[in-house]
Amino acid sequence: GTEVVQMYVGADESVVERPEYILKAFQKIRLKAGERKKVVLTCPINEMAYFDEKKNAFVTENDISYELYIGTSSRREDLQKKRV
């Protein structure tokens, strides 16, 4: 079968209001019955930057923890959460 592994990233410690999590990477894979595959998804920290109107620039929050949500759908109950 075919599966789409999805990675969402959240920033609940952010100084600005953000959505709970945002899709940042995904990969479609094909699996045979009982087969397992390793999937590597990445999201560079600069992709989590927000635009600060006062500074007229994108700001990266390097000093907070981010939450990774990994799963095969965007439904909260289908996602595994890990803080990084």
Side-chain angles (χ1 to χ4, degrees):
T2 301
E3 194 67 79
V4 179
V5 181
Q6 303 166 32
M7 179 179 72
Y8 297 82
V9 182
D12 65 0
E13 296 176 0
S14 179
V15 297
V16 296
E17 187 174 340
R18 298 182 187 226
E20 182 180 4
Y21 48 83
I22 302 168
L23 179 64
K24 288 297 183 178
F26 64 92
Q27 184 175 346
K28 184 177 180 179
I29 58 172
R30 297 191 187 282
L31 297 170
K32 297 176 184 170
E35 183 181 14
R36 298 175 80 144
K37 283 188 179 178
K38 181 177 181 177
V39 175
V40 178
L41 302 172
T42 61
C43 177
I45 189 74
N46 64 326
E47 289 187 19
M48 291 304 297
Y50 67 89
F51 190 77
D52 185 321
E53 291 181 7
K54 292 179 183 175
K55 295 179 181 179
N56 196 32
F58 283 93
V59 176
T60 303
E61 296 176 290
N62 294 314
D63 57 345
I64 67 169
S65 295
Y66 290 89
E67 299 80 40
L68 299 181
Y69 299 86
I70 309 293
T72 56
S73 91
S74 62
R75 293 180 347 149
R76 183 71 172 95
E77 56 271 13
D78 293 339
L79 297 170
Q80 294 181 13
K81 179 181 175 182
K82 180 177 181 179
R83 186 173 292 271
V84 293

